[in-house]
Amino acid sequence: MRRLIVTDAILGGLSRALAVLVALFLLAPLVVVFATSFNARAVAFPPSDWSLAAYTTIPDQAFRTFSTSLLLGLASAVVSVVLCVPAAMALVRGRLPGRSAIETVFRSPLQLPPIVLGIAFLQYFLYWQNLTEIKALGTFWGLLVAHVLIVSPYVLVAVIARLSTLDPRLEEAAAGLGAGTLMTQVRVVLPLLRPSILAGMFMAFVMSFEDVAVTLFLVGADTTTFPVYLFGSAQVSNTPSLYAASSLGAVVAMALALVVQRVVGLRTVLSR
Amino acid sequence: MSELVIEGLEIEYGRNVVVHGLDLRVESGEFVSLLGPSGSGKTSVLRAIGGYQAPSEGSIAIAGRDVTDVPPQGRDVGMVFQSLVLFPHMSVLRNVEFGLRTRKVRQPERRRRAMETLEMMQIAHLSERLPFQLSGGQQQRVALARALVVRPSLLLMDEPLGALDARLRLQMQVEIRALQHATGVTTIFVTHDQQEAMAMSDRVVVMRDGRIADQGGPEGLYREPRDRFTAEFMGLTSLLPVDVVRPAGDGARVRLAGTAHEFDATGSADPAGGEPTFVSLRPEDIHCTTQPVDGALTGKVMARTFRGVNTFVQVRVGDQTVLALQHRGQSLSEGAEVFVSWDAARARLVAGDAP
Amino acid sequence: MRGAMTSRRVLRIGVLPLALFYVFFFLLPALQFLRSSLYDSSESTDDGASLTNYRRALGSESVLDSLATTLGIALVTAVVSLLLAYLIAYHVVRGPAWLSRLIMVAALSSLFASAIARALGWRVLLADSGPLNDLLLALGVVDEPVRLINNTIAVTVGMVHVQVPIIMLALIPVIEAVPREMERAAYGLGESRWRTFLRVHLPLTWMNAVPIGLIAVMATAAYFTTPALLGGGRVLVLPILIQQAAQVLFDYATAATLAAILSIVIVAIACVVLVFTRWRRTIRERGHA
């Protein structure tokens, strides 16, 4: 019995130590990026000289694309919510025939490789451009359309999950008190959906803000997103300001995650 | 004009018929209970009246208006659900105001009426609280207030007291009945608890397997049940298997099965379905004495159960076991030899198979 | 349905905006894209729809190499990530609070940091003159810096880093579902922790871990950003090939063909997942196969 306890303790300690190592493994690149951004001239870790010089040499274009990405993320989240909330209501309460098939279709953009979606959009926009002279490639609207498509599955899933757990009797109670369908949805259902709508919007924003593979094909000279800009720079150069810009982006995303955790709790968001 | 008229109501869930051809009339101001075991269809009937369940056949008329095809919004019926279903994100006041809001009642009238109803329920001081901050009993009252503030023609209650503890439950029964008397609103109350139904109702409708087994005032149903099911459902009873010898007056002459002992009983059993016949005796109507009594049966006390208010004794009489209530001053011990007798007027003839 | 609740039907309209959006911006592009893969990419006169492109692609050595690389990396990533993720997920659920919190913070931070930031971090860590090589040299394990960057090793490490948090989050509910009492009972009966794990945990969780692992394979095979940044143009997984076809060669038909092939491979794996979960369900319902 004593031998058992000892080996147990050793194994237990070992597995815990390994877990710590894995945690450090996960944190390592982030720490490194952050630290590297404090180099003044060349990329080195540990930083050869600690300074904020890299942050001051971030090109203007980085900030321009940053604000484009912020706007795009926000717009995608909002448009997606406007489209997905009524759809979720229709699917969960409207007793649509073929509901699960429809739901699967709505979720399918998640299953396709992003690169495939990017190419498909590229071709599609080109096709329409040839046909109608309407330019979507390289415009904000084109990007918006593509992003709404990528983020909608997240929003839809979040809202459907919550709507399904809502007591259907609530709507009956409202009806019994004289409320029509519209009033019931607006005054009773929507307020109760608010946490999941916020959670969905958050996911949508993050997915949009970070997307590279789809956006890569749809950007233009004047309209580029932050991650695509970083991606392009990273492929041709390796300067501290690149790391500085990346750090900023990462900080924004993490700050947002913190806010969501406070308001809604990240568990709501991350459960699929 | 009756407040509620139901004719030929049939309700199906998929292929399952849960309510068969039901007819019911409820008069204005009446408190009617739908009483029955689970699966008897009572909740389905209630939901159909409220408009939450569409019947497959039949019609429903409220205050003279045919509402069979009218959705809940248009029926002027107040409903208190089993789980109360208060709007969790709204304060008590806004919950109660909801029905007034849908009827386009404006402030300050709306607030005034809501507060009035809350005061009547003695919870006006809770108006700004949220539902989760309230106790079970308080939530009950909010649910009632919400349903009553709009002064509906009909009030429906679906086993609303199920989640409360025994003492609160009894208290609420009294309060609800008092409220109903004060407001005069026609009420239909669903429950599986026969004591609750008897305590609160003007009329009890006993349901079984989607049909009405019997209905009537509480006392009438208790003393003169129509069949075995109702007799057993309305309270504790002993069933003695009997054969009918011949009709006698309003009742019949019967003989205890397997013996030569004959006696009179009220009621008639129509053994149309060839159902077995019994005489139903309530515990309080059976007398067990240590002194011999004319025409009594001999028996032996098998068990004794002390229940505070009452003491029950199980007495073996021949092949049968009866449950009797020990009378004041008596003290029967186990194993005692007793003489069992009863009032002829209290012996009730009923027919029916075991459930 | 008479009277009651027919107003619900009205809600059905709500699906229209999203449905229309999907028709115009998902189904139509997808169809058009598939169609384009069926037309010959070389300048010959239009032969009509055919599978020439596919035949050519699947016959090309570079494409087959790419497929092998893609799937190989995906498989290794999935296996390694599954193991690591299981370890930390276990400790999140059953470990001490400090460890649980540390792991969650690490996982969530890396999840929300962009793929680019993470790849850049690895670029520095795995560089010839980077800290990892410095460590190896200092420990005397090697005599000169090991090439850890711009190759499949870097890509795999980067992908593992991406997948571990995701898989961990998926595994947490699976591990939580193992009843504590069962573990305690086994432990109380004298089994060591390790054997408790083998006899109680593993049997109850492997059926859920497998589909998660397969999904990780699908996700890794579809990834573009990390291999592009860490492969240095030498690790040509299929997504990169596709991007090159489109943006470097402007050969959209080939790009479409390759993309279709990638999608088919992924869908095939998805079918395996489906079959597996069905099989798992019958086992659960019947108690045996």
Side-chain angles (χ1 to χ4, degrees):
Chain A
M1 206 55 186
R2 191 155 21 112
R3 202 182 303 161
L4 208 61
I5 294 181
V6 168
T7 41
D8 251 11
I10 294 180
L11 276 177
L14 200 61
S15 86
R16 252 176 260 159
L18 278 176
V20 171
L21 280 179
V22 174
L24 293 178
F25 162 77
L26 289 177
L27 283 172
L30 300 179
V31 170
V32 167
V33 168
F34 233 136
T36 315
S37 68
F38 294 118
N39 276 300
R41 262 156 313 193
V43 170
F45 182 83
S48 47
D49 30 318
W50 291 83
S51 80
L52 291 174
Y55 283 88
T56 56
T57 49
I58 296 179
D60 278 341
Q61 210 196 349
F63 291 108
R64 269 202 303 271
T65 57
F66 192 80
S67 50
T68 307
S69 280
L70 279 181
L71 202 58
L72 188 58
L74 203 59
S76 314
V78 168
V79 172
S80 180
V81 161
V82 166
L83 291 177
C84 290
V85 169
M89 288 182 183
L91 286 170
V92 176
R93 294 270 188 266
R95 299 197 205 158
L96 276 173
R99 170 192 157 171
S100 59
I102 300 182
E103 231 184 285
T104 314
V105 169
F106 281 150
R107 290 166 56 181
S108 48
L110 279 179
Q111 315 288 354
L112 288 180
I115 200 96
V116 172
L117 283 176
I119 297 254
F121 269 117
L122 174 63
Q123 281 194 291
Y124 192 65
F125 286 162
L126 278 176
Y127 174 74
W128 279 106
Q129 199 174 321
N130 283 335
L131 211 61
T132 61
E133 298 291 324
I134 300 179
K135 189 167 190 283
L137 266 187
T139 67
F140 185 83
W141 300 108
L143 287 173
L144 183 60
V145 161
H147 278 224
V148 167
L149 187 73
I150 333 174
V151 305
S152 292
Y154 295 99
V155 177
L156 194 66
V157 164
V159 176
I160 287 183
R162 175 93 171 119
L163 201 52
S164 308
T165 61
L166 229 49
D167 189 356
R169 302 265 194 253
L170 279 168
E171 289 166 79
E172 284 187 355
L177 289 164
T181 317
L182 190 62
M183 183 168 179
T184 310
Q185 299 307 320
V186 170
R187 292 218 176 273
V188 176
V189 179
L190 260 144
L192 291 171
L193 282 180
R194 205 165 43 135
S196 64
I197 292 181
L198 284 178
M201 282 182 73
F202 165 71
M203 276 308 275
F205 181 87
V206 171
M207 289 293 129
S208 160
F209 191 75
E210 293 187 354
D211 178 75
V212 173
V214 176
T215 322
L216 193 57
F217 297 98
L218 305 177
V219 294
D222 322 309
T223 324
T224 315
T225 64
F226 187 63
V228 169
Y229 164 77
L230 283 180
F231 180 76
S233 307
Q235 284 196 306
V236 298
S237 71
N238 206 28
T239 64
S241 57
L242 180 62
Y243 290 78
S246 303
S247 302
L248 280 180
V251 163
V252 164
M254 290 195 274
L256 205 59
L258 221 70
V259 167
V260 168
Q261 167 65 5
R262 277 292 142 81
V263 172
V264 163
L266 280 174
R267 272 291 176 100
T268 349
V269 169
L270 293 168
S271 47
R272 301 246 188 112
Chain B
M1 178 188 66
S2 313
E3 201 66 32
L4 173 70
V5 178
I6 301 179
E7 285 175 341
L9 191 72
E10 290 225 353
I11 302 178
E12 282 174 10
Y13 290 136
R15 296 266 176 79
N16 261 347
V17 182
V18 292
V19 176
H20 307 260
L22 190 125
D23 298 314
L24 184 68
R25 279 190 121 82
V26 179
E27 305 304 325
S28 177
E30 248 196 304
F31 191 116
V32 171
S33 285
L34 296 179
L35 173 70
S38 50
S40 53
K42 56 194 194 297
T43 301
S44 303
V45 171
L46 197 77
R47 285 173 60 79
I49 299 174
Y52 305 102
Q53 176 70 42
S56 45
E57 297 281 342
S59 71
I60 302 175
I62 297 178
R65 187 168 72 108
D66 185 348
V67 295
T68 323
D69 290 323
V70 177
Q73 291 89 330
R75 290 201 186 193
D76 194 28
V77 171
M79 175 98 168
V80 177
F81 294 83
Q82 194 162 7
S83 51
L84 301 183
V85 195
L86 298 178
F87 300 129
H89 57 293
M90 293 188 196
S91 68
V92 164
L93 183 62
R94 294 199 52 210
N95 258 282
V96 174
E97 280 183 350
F98 193 83
L100 296 172
R101 203 187 197 138
T102 57
R103 285 162 175 75
K104 312 264 200 292
V105 175
R106 307 196 141 199
Q107 299 287 24
E109 168 81 8
R110 195 164 77 208
R111 192 195 193 100
R112 190 185 59 77
R113 279 177 65 177
M115 287 305 282
E116 205 173 69
T117 311
L118 285 175
E119 267 154 25
M120 184 164 61
M121 316 285 293
Q122 297 165 335
I123 44 171
H125 61 290
L126 299 171
S127 64
E128 290 309 314
R129 300 254 183 104
L130 289 175
F132 76 92
Q133 296 171 306
L134 304 174
S135 71
Q138 291 168 334
Q139 289 184 358
Q140 263 307 326
R141 298 204 183 108
V142 176
L144 266 173
R146 186 175 70 172
L148 287 176
V149 73
V150 295
R151 299 186 204 130
S153 311
L154 212 55
L155 176 66
L156 306 177
M157 303 182 75
D158 186 2
E159 302 201 57
L161 307 180
L164 303 176
D165 65 75
R167 193 152 56 112
L168 191 52
R169 207 171 165 158
L170 289 174
Q171 193 187 328
M172 288 303 299
Q173 285 172 10
V174 170
E175 280 191 33
I176 292 176
R177 184 54 167 157
L179 192 64
Q180 195 265 347
H181 267 139
T183 55
V185 64
T186 315
T187 305
I188 305 185
F189 189 95
V190 162
T191 178
H192 61 272
D193 180 338
Q194 79 281 10
Q195 303 217 336
E196 191 164 84
M198 289 196 290
M200 300 173 76
S201 330
D202 296 317
R203 176 157 53 116
V204 176
V205 175
V206 180
M207 288 189 66
R208 179 194 196 190
D209 293 333
R211 295 188 168 83
I212 296 182
D214 200 356
Q215 58 178 302
E219 277 200 46
L221 276 183
Y222 185 76
R223 299 222 190 286
E224 288 160 10
R226 199 194 323 165
D227 58 13
R228 174 195 175 146
F229 174 79
T230 310
E232 284 189 302
F233 203 82
M234 293 304 291
L236 292 169
T237 185
S238 308
L239 290 173
L240 295 173
V242 296
D243 301 309
V244 177
V245 176
R246 61 175 184 274
D250 284 340
R253 183 93 181 153
V254 298
R255 181 180 57 239
L256 185 61
T259 71
H261 184 90
E262 286 189 5
F263 56 97
D264 288 318
T266 64
S268 63
D270 176 22
E275 292 170 321
T277 44
F278 301 88
V279 156
S280 160
L281 289 166
R282 300 277 178 212
E284 63 269 20
D285 294 329
I286 299 181
H287 310 292
C288 297
T289 51
T290 42
Q291 304 303 323
V293 168
D294 238 352
L297 294 162
T298 51
K300 188 164 173 186
V301 176
M302 303 306 289
R304 197 173 168 268
T305 316
F306 177 65
R307 286 257 186 97
V309 179
N310 301 314
T311 302
F312 285 93
V313 286
Q314 278 182 20
V315 182
R316 191 136 185 92
V317 178
D319 291 333
Q320 304 301 318
T321 309
V322 297
L323 191 68
L325 208 52
Q326 191 175 261
H327 292 301
R328 267 253 161 92
Q330 275 191 312
S331 185
L332 300 167
S333 43
E334 281 179 28
E337 307 269 340
V338 291
F339 294 90
V340 180
S341 60
W342 56 82
D343 209 340
R346 297 284 198 229
R348 179 78 182 169
L349 180 62
V350 292
D353 286 303
Chain C
M1 267 278 156
R2 299 148 62 185
M5 307 312 277
T6 43
S7 51
R8 286 266 186 88
R9 296 257 185 93
V10 153
L11 285 175
R12 290 185 185 180
I13 293 190
V15 81
L16 272 183
L18 191 64
L20 282 174
F21 184 83
Y22 265 67
V23 166
F24 277 110
F25 295 114
F26 182 59
L27 289 177
L28 283 185
L31 284 174
Q32 196 243 13
F33 158 81
L34 269 178
R35 187 175 158 278
S36 76
S37 72
L38 295 172
Y39 286 84
D40 201 323
S41 56
S42 50
E43 288 127 30
S44 49
T45 51
D46 82 332
D47 295 329
S50 73
L51 294 174
T52 329
N53 286 332
Y54 287 90
R55 251 175 274 144
R56 199 159 356 130
L58 291 171
S60 140
E61 203 174 305
S62 55
V63 169
L64 291 174
D65 272 348
S66 173
L67 254 176
T69 312
T70 313
L71 288 174
I73 294 182
L75 219 60
V76 171
T77 304
V79 168
V80 174
S81 308
L82 200 55
L83 290 173
L84 294 180
Y86 199 103
L87 174 71
I88 55 176
Y90 181 85
H91 282 285
V92 166
V93 178
R94 298 265 192 261
W98 64 268
L99 187 53
S100 178
R101 233 173 301 151
L102 170 66
I103 297 174
M104 281 305 273
V105 166
L108 291 176
S109 313
S110 67
L111 245 191
F112 289 116
S114 73
I116 298 180
R118 295 152 100 173
L120 284 177
W122 282 114
R123 203 191 262 190
V124 172
L125 277 169
L126 298 173
D128 290 346
S129 52
L132 201 54
N133 265 314
D134 284 349
L135 187 66
L136 289 175
L137 284 171
L139 288 179
V141 176
V142 290
D143 294 324
E144 30 170 65
V146 181
R147 179 40 65 85
L148 293 169
I149 191 68
N150 295 332
N151 55 15
T152 36
I153 298 179
V155 173
T156 310
V157 168
M159 285 313 304
V160 165
H161 189 263
V162 165
Q163 296 293 354
V164 165
I166 302 177
I167 299 182
M168 181 201 81
L169 287 174
L171 281 176
I172 286 180
V174 171
I175 296 181
E176 278 178 340
V178 174
R180 266 227 119 113
E181 292 78 49
M182 247 194 240
E183 287 178 37
R184 292 212 183 105
Y187 197 53
L189 285 172
E191 293 276 7
S192 72
R193 272 250 148 78
W194 175 239
R195 298 197 76 200
T196 311
F197 176 75
L198 280 182
R199 293 268 189 86
V200 174
H201 247 105
L202 225 39
L204 287 175
T205 52
W206 77 270
M207 281 209 253
N208 282 313
V210 168
I212 293 176
L214 285 173
I215 292 177
V217 173
M218 285 164 56
T220 310
Y223 234 76
F224 170 76
T225 319
T226 310
L229 286 174
L230 292 174
R234 293 201 207 114
V235 180
L236 293 173
V237 294
L238 208 46
I240 294 186
L241 228 57
I242 297 173
Q243 184 247 350
Q244 285 181 343
Q247 289 197 318
V248 175
L249 300 172
F250 296 104
D251 183 355
Y252 292 127
T254 305
T257 312
L258 292 176
I261 293 178
L262 180 62
S263 307
I264 292 174
V265 168
I266 289 186
V267 166
I269 303 180
C271 290
V272 173
V273 174
L274 206 66
V275 164
F276 183 84
T277 44
R278 287 251 172 90
W279 174 77
R280 177 180 73 188
R281 200 183 310 160
T282 42
I283 293 234
R284 291 236 174 96
E285 281 169 7
R286 293 201 223 144
H288 59 88

